[in-house]
Amino acid sequence: MPFSVFLDMSVSAAVTVWSPGPNNILLLSTASKYGIRRNLKLLLGIWSGSLTLMCLSGIFCSTLGRVIPGIQIYMKYAGAAYILWLAWQTLKRKPPEESGDSKEPSYLMGLFLQLLNVKIILYGLTMFSTFILPYETRIPMLFLYAVYLMVLGAIGNLIWAFAGNLLKQFYEVHYKLMNLVMALLLIWCAARILGIL
């Protein structure tokens, strides 16, 4: 994979997984309520589920590419469309509401949240079909990319967990500006995928 494509993938991935979503909002909420230490099981569950989804995404997209040759170009457009949709969703997102009493975070809560998280499923499919598979098809390399994508998500999860109330309060005040910046970065990523920039 050329370095420029790797850089585009990394920016697109970071913007996607570091933006507010089910995992990050849950971590923000639970970290502000229970602290980081009591969230470790939740984090491990999210990361286990994320790595599982990234591996499955790589296998699915690779297999689909062999079964239906030439599908990658269409998957690239689908990936760009998803990123544009995600930009729109990010732009119109409201700040998270104060949550009521909730169950203490657990490993299974994080794992199931991740395995049912449409944003992360589409993230994995988009990253593999758009950025990785046009350049790499060897299983060991696909696994390394899956780990890399999971680690990018883990960094985002940690940022949101450690930020706790501080980021929550900042986001509630400046959510429109933060949403606009994240949406513009996603639009830039989609344009790069389509070769417009």
Side-chain angles (χ1 to χ4, degrees):
M1 171 186 300
F3 182 73
S4 62
V5 174
F6 179 79
L7 188 59
D8 288 345
M9 177 188 74
S10 297
V11 170
S12 180
V15 169
T16 302
V17 295
W18 294 4
S19 66
N23 295 335
N24 293 335
I25 298 300
L26 175 66
L27 285 166
L28 181 76
S29 175
T30 58
S32 66
K33 186 172 183 176
Y34 297 108
I36 297 297
R37 181 172 289 171
R38 289 170 63 188
N39 268 287
L40 289 177
K41 291 177 184 175
L42 177 67
L43 282 165
L44 289 174
I46 288 172
W47 298 341
S48 298
S50 179
L51 183 58
T52 301
L53 284 177
M54 293 307 105
C55 290
L56 291 174
S57 295
I59 292 167
F60 175 78
C61 291
S62 175
T63 303
L64 192 60
R66 281 195 299 275
V67 173
I68 307 172
I71 196 166
Q72 258 120 8
I73 188 72
Y74 300 106
M75 292 173 76
K76 177 171 103 169
Y77 289 114
Y82 167 67
I83 290 174
L84 288 173
W85 177 82
L86 190 59
W88 172 249
Q89 295 301 311
T90 299
L91 186 61
K92 66 180 195 167
R93 184 175 288 123
K94 301 285 186 215
E97 296 295 326
E98 190 66 37
S99 62
D101 290 335
S102 60
K103 188 177 173 186
E104 185 166 339
S106 69
Y107 176 84
L108 288 178
M109 180 189 293
L111 180 68
F112 289 130
L113 171 68
Q114 197 64 5
L115 294 177
L116 300 173
N117 187 343
V118 174
K119 176 183 173 185
I120 298 301
I121 293 168
L122 292 174
Y123 159 72
L125 295 174
T126 300
M127 294 300 117
F128 275 97
S129 64
T130 305
F131 295 107
I132 299 168
L133 287 171
Y135 302 97
E136 188 60 67
T137 57
R138 294 173 293 162
I139 298 296
M141 289 303 296
L142 294 180
F143 178 73
L144 287 177
Y145 280 115
V147 170
Y148 177 71
L149 294 172
M150 186 277 300
V151 167
L152 283 177
I155 292 168
N157 296 151
L158 287 171
I159 290 169
W160 281 80
F162 279 111
N165 279 335
L166 177 66
L167 184 57
K168 183 177 181 183
Q169 292 167 358
F170 180 81
Y171 182 68
E172 287 174 350
V173 173
H174 302 288
Y175 73 93
K176 288 182 180 178
L177 176 62
M178 288 180 66
N179 288 351
L180 177 63
V181 169
M182 289 184 281
L184 289 173
L185 284 170
L186 286 168
I187 291 168
W188 175 78
C189 291
R192 296 280 296 178
I193 289 169
L194 297 173
I196 296 170
L197 295 176

